[in-house]
Amino acid sequence: MRSRYFFDKRDMKRGFAKYGIIFLISFIPLVLFNIFAYKYIGIRWLIVLLDCVLLLLFVAIGNNIARKIFEKKDARLNAKVKAREEMQKRKRQILEDSYKKIREEKKKAKEQSKDSNEIVVEVDEQEGIADGDTVDEKPKKTTKAKTKNRKDK
């Protein structure tokens, strides 16, 4: 199944453009042929037959011209789509790299903070720690176990 509607706007535009090109290519030569051929060929059905043959010839020519025009437009569109996809890939790669860098920095900071939590206090036994000196230590958390009073039955 197609992913587009039957009366898709893009397809309709393309079809109108295609048949517009064919009409423009075939209109003037067919009119001129009818004007000059009717003088020399007096038979109407033969002129109509020749008109149909010429029209088929112009449809083939116009179809080829329209196909070439649309191929150029499609090639430009595909180039734009590829460029957009490449840009998205580069953007995604840059984001991934920056996220990796941020993670590594956080990991290093975490390791450094773990190292800085281990405090080595050197105390000179003669002097000791003077009043007003502070040591950056985290206080230890103490937890009390909560017990419920249950009545035995």
Side-chain angles (χ1 to χ4, degrees):
M1 237 177 134
R2 290 175 40 161
S3 63
R4 296 169 122 175
Y5 293 112
F6 183 72
F7 291 108
D8 191 6
K9 184 178 178 181
R10 295 167 288 200
D11 290 340
M12 298 295 279
K13 280 176 143 179
R14 188 170 275 218
F16 283 130
K18 177 181 174 181
Y19 291 110
I21 291 170
I22 292 170
F23 176 74
L24 288 174
I25 289 173
S26 64
F27 180 72
I28 294 174
L30 279 177
V31 171
L32 292 175
F33 174 76
N34 283 332
I35 291 172
F36 293 119
Y38 191 70
K39 292 180 184 176
Y40 299 111
I41 306 170
I43 307 168
R44 275 194 147 160
W45 65 269
L46 187 59
I47 291 178
V48 171
L49 180 67
L50 290 174
D51 278 343
C52 290
V53 170
L54 283 175
L55 187 60
L56 285 175
L57 177 70
F58 287 125
V59 166
I61 292 169
N63 200 9
N64 284 336
I65 291 171
R67 183 179 43 83
K68 288 179 183 178
I69 290 171
F70 293 137
E71 282 178 356
K72 287 180 184 177
K73 284 185 177 182
D74 290 342
R76 276 188 258 142
L77 181 65
N78 287 337
K80 285 181 181 179
V81 168
K82 281 186 178 180
R84 187 178 305 133
E85 287 175 356
E86 286 294 322
M87 184 65 76
Q88 292 292 335
K89 284 181 183 178
R90 277 190 252 143
K91 187 190 244 182
R92 192 176 306 124
Q93 187 62 38
I94 289 170
L95 281 174
E96 287 176 3
D97 291 344
S98 67
Y99 285 142
K100 285 180 184 177
K101 185 177 178 181
I102 290 170
R103 285 186 196 123
E104 288 175 2
E105 288 175 0
K106 284 184 179 180
K107 192 175 184 180
K108 286 179 183 178
K110 194 174 185 180
E111 288 175 2
Q112 288 177 356
S113 67
K114 283 183 181 179
D115 291 340
S116 66
N117 285 343
E118 297 175 6
I119 299 174
V120 177
V121 179
E122 295 180 11
V123 178
D124 197 8
E125 294 205 13
Q126 294 174 353
E127 294 180 15
I129 297 176
D131 294 332
D133 289 345
T134 59
V135 178
D136 294 334
E137 283 189 30
K138 291 183 180 178
K140 295 182 178 178
K141 293 182 181 179
T142 57
T143 58
K144 294 182 179 179
K146 294 183 179 180
T147 57
K148 293 184 180 180
N149 294 331
R150 294 186 181 177
K151 296 181 181 179
D152 291 328
K153 292 186 180 180

